[in-house]
Amino acid sequence: MSNPDPMLEMVYQYKQRVRSLFKFQEAYEITHPEDKKNKFFFGKRDRFWFKKDVKVFYGENDSGAPFVTMIDNSIFDSFGSFTVIDPEGNILAHMRRKFWRSFFWRETWELFAAEGEMAGLAQAQGSFLKTFVRKFGVLRVIPIIGPILDMFMRLQYEYTNANGIPFAEFKRKMAIRDFYRLNFLGTGAELPVDKRAIIGLSILFDAAEKNR
């Protein structure tokens, strides 16, 4: 049985809502990994505005209480920089994508505490070859089997603190549709930023993947 308070969970499952594909926004739901009807949070992101903030709510839709908002600070890179705030407007964390490293090597995001000091990284796992295949859609040009093989190139991230110690993972679950799981490792170490920020920011990984 799941905890009545979703913040007490250690594993969260993420997926994009299919019906959101036909709207002017991207919508994501975050559920219990074994009980899909237990919907913890709902996130949405408008597709066509210049600034693409991500708003996350408790429950299964945007009528729930606000959870966090991720303010899009970027100008040129549409997935470049975000500030996470709580419903009262307090800053929880910042996250900034390292553009050139992400383009030529591994997807890498820098994580900063509310006051601005470096708190850790979220970095994709895998080789340069995997990055190259992903970035340039090499497999997608192969008829029939190419798109299937391309599914195995989805990103999987590891969160580490400023000392390089892992504290969470965001990984794709093998399925026909994209499912991701955020797993807090429970090593006993204190999280470098507010847990709410990690839950919200992980939406960006799948959103960025869909828009690559």
Side-chain angles (χ1 to χ4, degrees):
M1 182 178 295
S2 63
N3 290 309
D5 181 358
M7 291 303 297
L8 298 178
E9 298 288 342
M10 295 296 290
V11 183
Y12 302 82
Q13 182 158 292
Y14 292 65
K15 72 173 182 178
Q16 185 177 16
R17 285 192 175 177
V18 174
R19 58 188 176 185
S20 74
L21 299 175
F22 304 98
K23 298 182 179 180
F24 297 120
Q25 66 181 24
E26 296 168 348
Y28 296 87
E29 59 182 39
I30 303 173
T31 66
H32 188 281
E34 306 302 334
D35 180 8
K36 311 308 182 295
K37 295 182 179 179
N38 192 348
K39 301 183 187 303
F40 295 144
F41 309 106
F42 170 84
K44 68 176 185 179
R45 179 177 184 269
D46 292 329
R47 293 178 186 273
F48 298 115
W49 296 104
F50 180 69
K51 291 291 187 179
K52 298 180 179 179
D53 299 344
V54 182
K55 297 181 180 180
V56 187
F57 305 85
Y58 283 97
E60 59 183 329
N61 53 50
D62 57 5
S63 64
F67 178 60
V68 295
T69 297
M70 289 169 282
I71 306 297
D72 183 1
N73 302 316
S74 59
I75 297 176
F76 300 109
D77 182 3
S78 62
F79 286 89
S81 175
F82 289 82
T83 296
V84 188
I85 62 173
D86 68 12
E88 287 72 43
N90 301 307
I91 295 176
L92 302 179
H94 310 271
M95 197 150 104
R96 184 175 64 208
R97 181 172 179 257
K98 293 179 71 66
F99 179 80
W100 293 113
R101 180 178 178 83
S102 296
F103 189 82
F104 288 109
W105 185 238
R106 295 180 182 177
E107 288 285 340
T108 303
W109 295 72
E110 294 177 316
L111 187 63
F112 299 88
E115 298 78 14
E117 69 270 20
M118 184 72 172
L121 293 174
Q123 183 167 267
Q125 299 173 315
S127 64
F128 171 76
L129 177 61
K130 181 177 180 179
T131 299
F132 178 84
V133 170
R134 279 190 60 262
K135 290 291 184 182
F136 299 100
V138 174
L139 294 175
R140 284 181 250 176
V141 302
I142 303 175
I144 304 175
I145 195 173
I148 297 174
L149 294 174
D150 190 56
M151 291 192 301
F152 291 89
M153 296 293 107
R154 294 296 188 189
L155 293 185
Q156 307 200 70
Y157 282 86
E158 180 179 64
Y159 282 100
T160 59
N161 64 19
N163 295 319
I165 300 174
F167 65 86
E169 297 175 331
F170 186 76
K171 293 192 172 185
R172 184 177 184 273
K173 179 183 176 183
M174 297 308 299
I176 296 176
R177 288 184 57 202
D178 284 345
F179 291 87
Y180 289 86
R181 286 188 177 179
L182 172 64
N183 179 26
F184 288 92
L185 301 179
T187 58
E190 184 178 350
L191 295 178
V193 298
D194 193 296
K195 186 177 181 180
R196 290 173 292 174
I198 300 299
I199 294 172
L201 288 167
S202 295
I203 292 176
L204 298 176
F205 300 147
D206 188 51
E209 187 72 1
K210 295 292 193 306
N211 288 273
R212 64 184 170 91

